[in-house]
Amino acid sequence: MNSRLKGKSGEDYAVDTLMKDGYVILGRNFSSRFGEIDVIAEKDGIIAFVEVKMRKRGSMVTGIESITPVKIKRIIRTAEYYLYTHGCDLQPRFDVFSAITANGIITGHLHLEGAFVKHD
């Protein structure tokens, strides 16, 4: 399976899981000149900008560890652009959803809420 299909599979799994957890999905693959956000979801007055990662069980680097400071900056700037263009008053949060695979099959996940914050 190529990386684009793996990424879509992980995002589909994340969206399904988030919806089961009571989130409303506001968008997927939101792009701007700053970058892309995989999933945008809302729950309990929070708008979550979710970066989705796929990781093999036992990987040396977790999903959160794989997100570089440059990627974080891009996600934050894209989220700011989204909030500006959509006039949203919800409290923003940045999450990482790591789908865990074994033999190419998703076997579990880790959803880390508030994985990083904006620093001025």
Side-chain angles (χ1 to χ4, degrees), residues 7-107:
K8 182 169 176 357
S9 171
E11 288 173 13
D12 290 345
Y13 178 85
V15 164
D16 290 345
T17 303
L18 291 169
M19 288 189 324
K20 287 177 186 170
D21 289 344
Y23 286 84
V24 174
I25 305 304
L26 302 177
R28 291 181 69 169
N29 305 115
F30 177 79
S31 293
S32 77
R33 66 186 179 107
F34 307 112
E36 180 185 39
I37 295 174
D38 295 325
V39 178
I40 302 170
E42 182 267 327
K43 179 180 177 184
D44 299 332
I46 301 286
I47 184 167
F49 297 97
V50 185
E51 176 70 8
V52 178
K53 294 292 185 184
M54 296 273 284
R55 286 290 172 263
K56 292 180 183 174
R57 184 171 302 286
S59 290
M60 293 188 65
V61 177
T62 66
I64 185 65
E65 292 170 326
S66 72
I67 302 173
T68 66
V70 170
K71 178 69 172 176
I72 290 171
K73 185 176 180 178
R74 287 183 186 145
I75 292 169
I76 290 170
R77 291 198 68 197
T78 304
E80 288 173 333
Y81 181 76
Y82 178 91
L83 293 170
Y84 175 76
T85 59
H86 288 76
C88 180
D89 292 330
L90 299 172
Q91 177 64 42
R93 187 180 72 206
F94 300 97
D95 295 1
V96 174
F97 188 101
S98 185
I100 312 300
T101 66
N103 300 318
I105 298 168
I106 298 173
T107 59

